[in-house]
Amino acid sequence: MNTSDVLIIGAGVVGCAAAYYLRKNGVSVTVLESDMIGNGGSSRNGGGVRISGRDPRELGICAYGVKNIWPTLSEELGIDVEYRQKGYLVCGYDDSHKRLIKDRINTAAKFGIKMELKEEEEIRSLYPYVSEHVTCAGWTPSDGVANPLKTTLGYYIRARENGARFITGEKVLCIEKIKGRARKVITESGNVYEAESIILACGYGGRKILNSVGIEVLMQKKLEEVIVTEPAPRLFDHMIGGMSGFYGQQTEHGSFVLGSSCGRETYLFNKSNTVSTYSAPSFICDSIGVDIPALKKLKVIRTWSGWIDRSYDAVPIIGNIEEVPGLFVSIASSGHGFGPGPAVGFILSELAQGRPSPVDISKLHYDRFDYVKYQDRYFVSDVGGSFS
Amino acid sequence: MSKIIDRSADIGEFVPEKDDDILVCRCEEITKGEIRKAVHMGLYTMTEVKRFLRPTMGLCQGQICGENVRRIIAKELKEPIEALKETTARPPVRPIEMEVFGNEVEKL
Ligand SMILES: Cc1cc2nc3c(=O)[nH]c(=O)nc-3n(C[C@H](O)[C@H](O)[C@H](O)COP(=O)(O)OP(=O)(O)OC[C@H]3O[C@@H](n4cnc5c(N)ncnc54)[C@H](O)[C@@H]3O)c2cc1C
């Protein structure tokens, strides 16, 4: 029988985490995934687990994860997800960057998050591997990194082991209501699944599915690329980013994982496949050569790309949809949904069980968009590695 | 369209084999036993095994062990090797220094 208490669409970090937490409470779960487990953004990101630089509306969720989930996640899953809370350094090159960093510090302070401005002298002594090109920097000690592959597949492995049913290769086409409630899901293969509640966590793919119940959301799809180097002796533990746009980490394995876009993706590439190009990778290598010259001689061994499902204001859409009772969504994570992913999965699992969210998510409502008001933010969000 | 796979389908118990200690991926030092166990944890595709355990993710990018990894997973799933999708081959074809790759930026 294709019936369960909860049906989850999408097996990314959010869907897998939600399945895990639901099973912990004994709720029966089916997860439908069109591709493989975690083949979306969840296995393609830079692994940044950040609170700094986030929009005030989503800060609560990010902070909830960093406080309540990440520190004990490896222990909980019995799988090392390589979480390290060793700070985030964002490199700036001029006064406009210094102003942006100061703005972020003020926002962070309002939420009790410590972030500091580092001036040249301090940068030279604390972060000697950063070049003289970097004249100011923001430092957030509570930020960190993790291994996205281990995290996503880790949640999957334990959720499956605890009885969650995962079906891959099953692409959801639409949701059908029964007596006004979201109850049925129909897939491309013609299969029908039924549940009391439905969790939609499938990135850009969720847009069409929402359309099937009369809901439209303002979002677009954007290519982002990543490079990984051969392993090297440890240079630093913290996450790093530059106002030129790159971000990344030296992983536990020793390799450097560095991501960025080059700014032209939206115009250059076809929208059906993730493709690897020379554009963003060469841009990343060039920026790194300028900011962290010690890495110049390291060899790039692999590059890949992924989709960023971005909302109109670059802030995620999370929560219920009044017009469709029984449906709970997390979409448009806007390039920074890995860090909050475990918390979002937990929150959705609570909502699907009829319980309230442990943090305020009311401002992440799908129907919040006001074209005029958010026009400025839309462009600002491209600056300074907000995608990480 | 991808093949539909029910991840709760029974593929049988993990049965230890004599040569489980053999190194399959030399770059990342992954053994045959580790790969076989990963399949029993629910990782039914080559890409998932690669992402979780790292075989084929090292310097040679699977050019040496790729087919062996694929064969071991397929056998564990009791499927012919052709039925198992290979991982995506990703650029660059040979490792390339960041400094050199960075030069391409001029062509943007
Ligand atoms: C290059 C890159 C770098 C990034 N760096 C960071 C970072 O450093 N820090 C950070 O916090 N975030 C980062 N992100 C963003 C982060 O990866 C995503 O926000 C996060 O993984 C989203 O998780 P998800 O579970 O919502 O979606 P996804 O991981 O995208 O999962 C959605 C799943 O749904 C499936 N699906 C789609 N349509 C359907 C359908 N119709 N039926 C069934 N299944 C469907 C997809 O196949 C996919 O597996 C980055 C993203 C990219 C691409």
Side-chain angles (χ1 to χ4, degrees):
Chain A
M1 273 291 282
N2 288 334
T3 309
S4 50
D5 294 335
V6 180
L7 196 65
I8 299 176
I9 308 172
V13 65
V14 173
C16 292
Y20 172 81
Y21 292 115
L22 284 164
R23 279 311 301 151
K24 236 180 132 175
N25 284 331
V27 177
S28 70
V29 190
T30 303
V31 185
L32 303 178
E33 163 59 53
S34 59
D35 194 338
M36 306 180 250
I37 307 294
N39 202 27
S42 297
S43 291
R44 296 164 188 269
N45 66 71
V49 179
R50 283 172 51 191
I51 312 181
S52 67
R54 296 283 92 104
D55 188 280
R57 289 169 286 173
E58 57 184 328
L59 251 166
I61 292 187
C62 301
Y64 184 88
V66 167
K67 189 159 175 262
N68 300 300
I69 301 182
W70 280 111
T72 52
L73 188 55
S74 293
E75 210 179 316
E76 160 126 26
L77 296 177
I79 287 169
D80 187 2
V81 299
E82 299 170 11
Y83 174 63
R84 296 199 296 269
Q85 193 175 25
K86 292 288 167 83
Y88 171 57
L89 185 75
V90 61
C91 305
Y93 323 121
D94 59 30
D95 283 347
S96 73
H97 296 152
K98 199 185 262 188
R99 278 196 299 277
L100 198 62
I101 291 167
K102 283 182 179 163
D103 278 355
R104 288 187 186 179
I105 291 175
N106 289 336
T107 312
K110 278 186 207 143
F111 288 85
I113 296 153
K114 203 174 129 203
M115 183 176 172
E116 304 158 19
L117 175 72
K118 299 284 184 197
E119 305 274 4
E120 269 194 274
E121 210 172 295
E122 229 182 331
I123 296 173
R124 301 286 91 83
S125 68
L126 291 174
Y127 319 106
Y129 35 83
V130 166
S131 81
E132 309 229 322
H133 179 240
V134 180
T135 54
C136 59
W139 173 249
T140 315
S142 55
D143 284 350
V145 293
N147 180 329
L149 313 173
K150 290 283 207 69
T151 305
T152 305
L153 290 168
Y155 270 122
Y156 158 69
I157 287 168
R158 295 306 177 220
R160 174 184 171 273
E161 193 177 83
N162 295 339
R165 183 180 179 208
F166 284 80
I167 303 170
T168 53
E170 194 68 299
K171 181 175 177 179
V172 172
L173 293 182
C174 61
I175 293 174
E176 274 185 10
K177 292 186 190 175
I178 297 179
K179 293 192 175 147
R181 246 184 104 81
R183 288 289 297 272
K184 259 190 191 176
V185 150
I186 297 164
T187 67
E188 196 172 56
S189 63
N191 289 333
V192 181
Y193 296 82
E194 268 193 68
E196 294 298 321
S197 309
I198 298 173
I199 291 177
L200 184 78
C202 61
Y204 191 80
R207 184 176 192 173
K208 257 197 168 156
I209 299 173
L210 282 176
N211 288 168
S212 73
V213 280
I215 303 294
E216 178 60 300
V217 283
L218 282 178
M219 60 194 285
Q220 64 162 194
K221 200 166 140 177
K222 188 174 161 287
L223 198 81
E224 177 94 357
E225 293 189 74
V226 178
I227 65 165
V228 60
T229 70
E230 61 188 320
R234 184 139 304 275
L235 192 62
F236 51 79
D237 276 337
H238 57 80
M239 192 190 177
I240 195 159
M243 288 290 173
S244 57
F246 78 85
Y247 52 82
Q249 60 161 310
Q250 183 172 19
T251 64
E252 288 290 313
H253 170 260
S255 52
F256 286 84
V257 168
L258 299 156
S260 188
S261 51
C262 72
R264 301 182 186 187
E265 285 77 7
T266 320
Y267 309 98
L268 285 175
F269 311 117
N270 91 36
K271 298 256 176 180
S272 56
N273 284 323
T274 48
V275 286
S276 288
T277 75
Y278 73 88
S279 319
S282 64
F283 172 77
I284 296 167
C285 292
D286 187 59
S287 310
I288 293 295
V290 175
D291 286 10
I292 323 173
L295 305 187
K296 265 200 217 170
K297 295 282 173 204
L298 272 184
K299 290 192 173 84
V300 174
I301 62 167
R302 184 169 67 246
T303 70
W304 66 84
S305 65
W307 293 119
I308 281 177
D309 51 326
R310 182 158 89 163
S311 75
Y312 190 63
D313 57 2
V315 170
I317 294 167
I318 298 169
N320 63 322
I321 290 186
E322 286 74 14
E323 294 87 333
V324 194
L327 178 63
F328 305 94
V329 305
S330 159
I331 51 169
S333 51
S334 302
H336 51 267
F338 171 66
V344 174
F346 176 72
I347 289 169
L348 291 177
S349 78
E350 289 292 291
L351 296 179
Q353 291 173 82
R355 291 199 284 261
S357 165
V359 290
D360 179 22
I361 53 168
S362 59
K363 297 205 170 70
L364 304 175
H365 195 258
Y366 88 94
D367 206 10
R368 65 175 181 263
F369 301 102
D370 170 338
Y371 289 77
V372 181
K373 193 164 145 206
Y374 291 112
Q375 227 158 27
D376 294 339
R377 270 205 54 78
Y378 181 79
F379 293 105
V380 171
S381 66
D382 245 351
V383 182
S386 105
F387 299 125
S388 58
Chain B
M1 210 164 89
S2 317
K3 187 169 64 170
I4 296 179
I5 314 174
D6 185 339
R7 300 304 182 100
S8 307
D10 186 14
I11 59 160
E13 288 286 294
F14 171 79
V15 185
E17 283 174 14
K18 265 204 266 71
D19 58 355
D20 273 342
D21 285 342
I22 205 165
L23 268 189
V24 178
C25 170
R26 285 183 283 171
C27 300
E28 296 294 322
E29 301 182 1
I30 313 290
T31 65
K32 180 183 169 194
E34 287 175 293
I35 295 169
R36 293 179 55 239
K37 275 190 193 136
V39 176
H40 289 271
M41 290 165 100
L43 308 181
Y44 290 2
T45 67
M46 197 172 162
T47 301
E48 288 161 13
V49 172
K50 165 183 166 176
R51 286 176 174 161
F52 192 69
L53 272 190
R54 302 192 58 85
T56 79
M57 262 207 209
L59 258 188
C60 91
Q61 288 291 295
Q63 293 184 54
I64 296 169
C65 70
E67 274 306 278
N68 286 336
V69 174
R70 191 174 169 211
R71 188 170 304 117
I72 292 166
I73 299 172
K75 191 171 167 218
E76 214 55 38
L77 291 168
K78 303 182 179 71
E79 283 185 2
I81 182 165
E82 312 77 56
L84 197 73
K85 212 173 150 213
E86 293 174 279
T87 54
T88 312
R90 302 199 186 274
V93 175
R94 294 274 179 274
I96 174 172
E97 280 179 14
M98 275 212 220
E99 192 173 22
V100 177
F101 206 159
N103 288 335
E104 290 290 307
V105 88
E106 281 158 25
K107 297 183 192 151
L108 281 182

